Amino acid sequence: MTKNFSVCLVVLLALSPHAQGDIVIQGYTDATNNRFTNSPSFIASNFNLSGIGLTAGAVWGTLVSPNVIVSATHYPPSGAITFFPNNDPSSTAVTRQVTGNTMQINNSDVWVAQLDTPVDSTITFFPFGTAQLTGPSNAMNGPNDPLLQGSAGIYAGLDGYVVGRSPGNNDNTQDHAIGRNVISYFAKDVPQSGLTDTLVFEINNSHPFEATLAQYDSGAPFFVDINNQLVLLGVNSINDIPNNVAGGVAYLGNQETATAIQSFINSSAVPEPSAWIYTSLMLLGMTHRSRQRRSI
């Protein structure tokens, strides 16, 4: 990856699937960090991870409603995306198609897409952060200037769960590994990438299973544990930041972004069956009355 800029997008190259891009996790073992080893030692074994999906080409999408996924604008999924109800690699997969109803959220690396049909009840979807974060603009900084650091607010210092492609020998749809890192600061208007609203996490070499983003980790989810529930704060977006930084995620929670995501979810929602039945009966009744009037 280039070292000429202070921040760059995660570069996507036409390489074999495991040539580059496995997330770097200190102290990695299959048992502790590979989701589909299905070990009780797995660091996220207490959480429902079923809403994290991968395509056959190992591109990420994470559910924020039964039929809407989020990913990275610069690395969005297409075609079929697969979810697993638990960490057992032999469990029955749930596959959906990514439709053409997609949208980049404002001027950010956050991208949303509608699935062809909602997932069933075996697959969860995640709440996402909505706390307003502010910080000085980096828009005018030169390419070699450090980022201006804003406060990560209520998330500062929290333990984040970093998802990326596994060093294990997994099928692409099961290429899930999870490390941790501490949320360090918030950066706005990141130079060179054209992004807004980025949460950054640094390396301090003291955190258990500390993770560093690599190529092909783009679009994977970044969570925090709030009251024993995973809350989606963003999607992996940038790496190669100087000053010993492990990476940055496009933040979902600032008002314009969170509102746009929710609006997309609302517009993509499929009516409940009862609503369809009610509407159908109402239309049938209107048709019947219309025919009666015409026959008089």
Side-chain angles (χ1 to χ4, degrees):
M1 291 175 287
T2 178
K3 295 295 181 182
N4 295 326
F5 301 115
S6 63
V7 180
C8 70
L9 287 176
V10 178
V11 181
L12 307 174
L13 303 175
L15 302 171
S16 62
H18 288 281
Q20 296 188 45
D22 298 335
I23 193 169
V24 179
I25 300 174
Q26 294 184 24
Y28 171 91
T29 68
D30 283 340
T32 55
N33 302 100
N34 187 330
R35 176 185 173 190
F36 290 105
T37 301
N38 199 20
S39 167
S41 301
F42 178 50
I43 63 171
S45 61
N46 293 331
F47 300 112
N48 185 339
L49 305 175
S50 60
I52 305 172
L54 275 174
T55 68
V59 185
W60 300 90
T62 303
L63 286 163
V64 289
S65 85
N67 69 332
V68 173
I69 57 171
V70 296
S71 190
T73 299
H74 77 273
Y75 195 31
S78 61
I81 187 165
T82 300
F83 306 90
F84 289 87
N86 51 55
N87 302 335
D88 182 351
S90 63
S91 61
T92 302
V94 174
T95 299
R96 295 292 185 267
Q97 294 289 325
V98 180
T99 71
N101 183 21
T102 68
M103 184 173 68
Q104 177 185 9
I105 300 296
N106 303 319
N107 182 34
S108 76
D109 203 20
V110 179
W111 177 93
V112 291
Q114 183 179 354
L115 303 182
D116 57 344
T117 55
V119 295
D120 59 41
S121 60
T122 65
I123 306 298
T124 192
F125 60 93
F126 299 99
F128 55 90
T130 56
Q132 184 73 23
L133 303 178
T134 60
S137 175
N138 288 275
M140 301 306 294
N141 279 17
N144 298 312
D145 290 341
L147 293 178
L148 299 176
Q149 299 180 13
S151 171
I154 63 171
Y155 307 123
L158 290 186
D159 210 24
Y161 286 83
V162 189
V163 181
R165 292 180 57 172
S166 173
N169 187 25
N170 293 351
D171 177 83
N172 275 359
T173 60
Q174 297 178 334
D175 212 7
H176 297 203
I178 298 185
R180 296 191 187 107
N181 219 308
V182 175
I183 300 169
S184 304
Y185 60 89
F186 172 77
K188 193 168 184 65
D189 302 323
V190 177
Q192 305 305 328
S193 66
L195 304 179
T196 59
D197 297 345
T198 302
L199 283 170
V200 179
F201 49 95
E202 299 178 308
I203 302 171
N204 60 23
N205 297 313
S206 64
H207 198 60
F209 305 118
E210 191 170 60
T212 304
L213 296 183
Q215 291 175 342
Y216 301 111
D217 291 335
S218 293
F222 180 91
F223 299 104
V224 290
D225 174 8
I226 298 179
N227 297 325
N228 298 314
Q229 181 180 33
L230 288 181
V231 175
L232 182 64
L233 292 193
V235 294
N236 296 343
S237 178
I238 56 176
N239 67 357
D240 202 22
I241 308 172
N243 302 322
N244 212 29
V245 170
V249 298
Y251 179 52
L252 307 184
N254 270 356
Q255 184 173 0
E256 288 186 1
T257 302
T259 299
I261 293 172
Q262 189 59 55
S263 295
F264 187 89
I265 291 171
N266 294 345
S267 67
S268 303
V270 177
E272 293 292 333
S274 58
W276 281 110
I277 294 170
Y278 175 79
T279 302
S280 299
L281 290 174
M282 182 177 67
L283 290 173
L284 285 171
M286 291 173 62
T287 302
H288 179 68
R289 287 195 298 272
S290 177
R291 288 175 177 171
Q292 282 185 325
R293 285 195 294 270
R294 285 199 298 269
S295 64
I296 294 173

